[in-house]
Amino acid sequence: MADINIGSAKEKLASKGFLDIAVSPELDLFFEIEKLKKEKNAVILAHYYQESDIQDVADFLGDSLALAQAAAKTTADLIVFAGVHFMAETAKILNPDKKVVLPDLKAGCSLADSAPGYLFKEFKEKYPDHLVISYINCSAEVKALSDIICTSSNAEKIIQSVPAGQKIIFAPDRNLGAYLMKKTGRDMVLWNGACMVHEIFSLEKITKLKIRHPKAKLIAHPECEEPILRIADFIGSTTGLLNYTKTDDSSEYIVATETGILHQMQLASPGKTFIPAPPDNNCACNDCPHMKLNTLEKLYLCMKYEQPELLMDLDLMVAARKPIERMLQLS
């Protein structure tokens, strides 16, 4: 039935963003995905914020920096990127001759969307003497307008590598930028963007949660707002948070980042308790709706039919590659 429907599903890719084909519940997707990896010489790169089943079938699991490094080194013919659109773009930029597919083309990013390329170009022109450091959570257009790309793992190191007298624009995350200004002492011009996931945490609810769990440490991603970071016991990138929980001697943690990372935290430290920090809404946890558009079924279908494929303009890839390579060199 799936093969009969593939033509119709491909026609609807542009509107739906994924192959809308029914997958039999009797199909062992874990087995089928492993078989497809071997048949197609494919590699699955997945972000920590993906659902746990996708994390479990990934060949490489990591944060944005680690995924960019893995994409740059892969020898696979087919790159299956389980993450959001800008991450797949980065993999394609680093591998222009390889096919890059992703489960759902509409898995976007609120932070990347907050900095449209044409507006950022106008913003940059106001500060002609400034060097542009852009967080990797941005579009290829913004990357192409940047001098260096960074991630939350290496941003402080990259900023410190810039001569003290050099003025800097930091984009697109204002919360991460403000945190880095405090950490480095550099006065940077910030683009006014933010991540919907990390801005939604409730200081009041977290404070109440800390009262109920007095032994729990609050650990937070630097994309969170300043009031949350002010009371955090530890601030770090996604990988930094995971590594901290592995080595720290506490038994309980309130985790202020996307809940997907809790799966890896629990696997690494089964005897510890991990509590998702409560958002300022009626949900029980804090999920990224874009990351969670990807499912194991969509992953299987995109591997089987090699669609949706990420296609990019060659000139844009060339321009965006330079600041990414600068980051990888500095990292």
Side-chain angles (χ1 to χ4, degrees), residues 238-249:
T238 313
T239 298
L241 298 178
L242 174 60
N243 290 337
Y244 179 77
T245 62
K246 290 178 183 178
T247 58
D248 184 65
D249 58 6

Side-chain angles (χ1 to χ4, degrees), residues 20-308:
D20 190 10
I21 300 172
V23 176
S24 170
E26 296 178 358
L27 198 65
D28 183 342
L29 292 179
F30 293 94
F31 174 80
E32 295 297 329
I33 287 170
E34 289 302 320
K35 187 169 71 172
L36 287 169
K37 285 181 191 177
K38 295 172 184 175
E39 289 176 1
K40 296 173 181 282
N41 186 27
V43 63
I44 298 176
L45 306 180
H47 194 274
Y48 283 129
Y49 295 168
Q50 292 294 286
E51 64 173 48
S52 56
D53 282 347
I54 291 178
Q55 293 187 37
D56 291 342
V57 300
D59 297 292
F60 190 89
L61 188 65
D63 60 9
S64 296
L65 174 60
L67 291 171
Q69 291 169 328
K73 295 174 183 175
T74 187
T75 57
D77 295 316
L78 178 67
I79 299 173
V80 184
F81 210 109
V84 292
H85 198 272
F86 79 81
M87 296 177 180
E89 277 187 338
T90 302
K92 182 65 177 177
I93 290 164
L94 292 169
N95 296 276
D97 297 325
K98 295 182 185 291
K99 179 177 277 191
V100 177
V101 296
L102 60 162
D104 196 321
L105 277 173
K106 294 194 175 182
C109 171
S110 59
L111 178 55
D113 291 344
S114 73
Y118 72 97
L119 288 180
F120 187 73
K121 184 175 183 292
E122 293 178 4
F123 179 79
K124 177 185 174 181
E125 288 170 352
K126 295 179 182 178
Y127 305 94
D129 56 345
H130 285 53
L131 181 130
V132 179
I133 300 177
S134 291
Y135 189 32
I136 198 168
N137 298 35
C138 64
S139 67
E141 287 80 10
V142 171
K143 287 182 174 71
L145 292 165
S146 305
D147 296 292
I148 315 175
I149 299 301
C150 72
T151 71
S152 51
S153 297
N154 63 19
E156 184 177 349
K157 178 181 179 181
I158 284 175
I159 290 169
Q160 297 284 26
S161 74
V162 176
Q166 174 61 58
K167 296 177 181 178
I168 297 172
I169 292 173
F170 185 86
D173 192 288
R174 61 174 179 264
N175 294 320
L176 177 58
Y179 170 75
L180 290 167
M181 285 170 65
K182 286 187 176 181
K183 290 284 286 183
T184 64
R186 299 295 288 267
D187 184 20
M188 301 186 293
V189 175
L190 304 181
W191 175 269
N192 189 29
C195 166
M196 64 183 289
V197 174
H198 291 97
E199 280 217 320
I200 202 171
F201 292 115
S202 167
L203 179 62
E204 180 183 354
K205 290 181 181 179
I206 289 174
T207 303
K208 290 178 179 178
L209 193 60
K210 283 172 68 70
I211 292 171
R212 293 203 302 274
H213 298 270
K215 294 182 180 179
K217 286 186 176 179
L218 173 64
I219 58 176
H221 194 282
E223 287 179 38
C224 293
E225 292 183 314
E226 196 275 334
I228 304 297
L229 299 180
R230 195 188 314 137
I231 64 169
D233 296 288
F234 178 77
I235 300 167
S237 67
T238 313
T239 298
L241 298 178
L242 174 60
N243 290 337
Y244 179 77
T245 62
K246 290 178 183 178
T247 58
D248 184 65
D249 58 6
S250 297
S251 60
E252 281 186 279
Y253 302 89
I254 299 168
V255 184
T257 192
E258 215 275 350
T259 55
I261 190 60
L262 270 67
H263 178 59
Q264 293 302 313
M265 289 178 172
Q266 202 70 71
L267 287 175
S269 306
K272 296 183 177 183
T273 301
F274 300 97
I275 308 162
D280 192 17
N281 58 30
N282 295 323
C283 296
C285 61
N286 203 52
D287 290 338
C288 172
H290 304 290
M291 284 282 188
K292 296 305 193 282
L293 282 178
N294 296 322
T295 64
L296 196 64
E297 289 78 11
K298 289 179 183 177
L299 178 64
Y300 161 71
L301 289 168
C302 88
M303 286 188 75
K304 181 176 175 65
Y305 298 106
E306 300 184 15
Q307 294 285 342

Side-chain angles (χ1 to χ4, degrees), residues 93-94 149 320-330:
I93 290 164
L94 292 169
I149 299 301
R321 185 183 178 105
K322 293 176 184 177
I324 297 173
E325 288 182 333
R326 183 84 186 278
M327 173 190 75
L328 294 174
Q329 289 166 2
L330 291 169

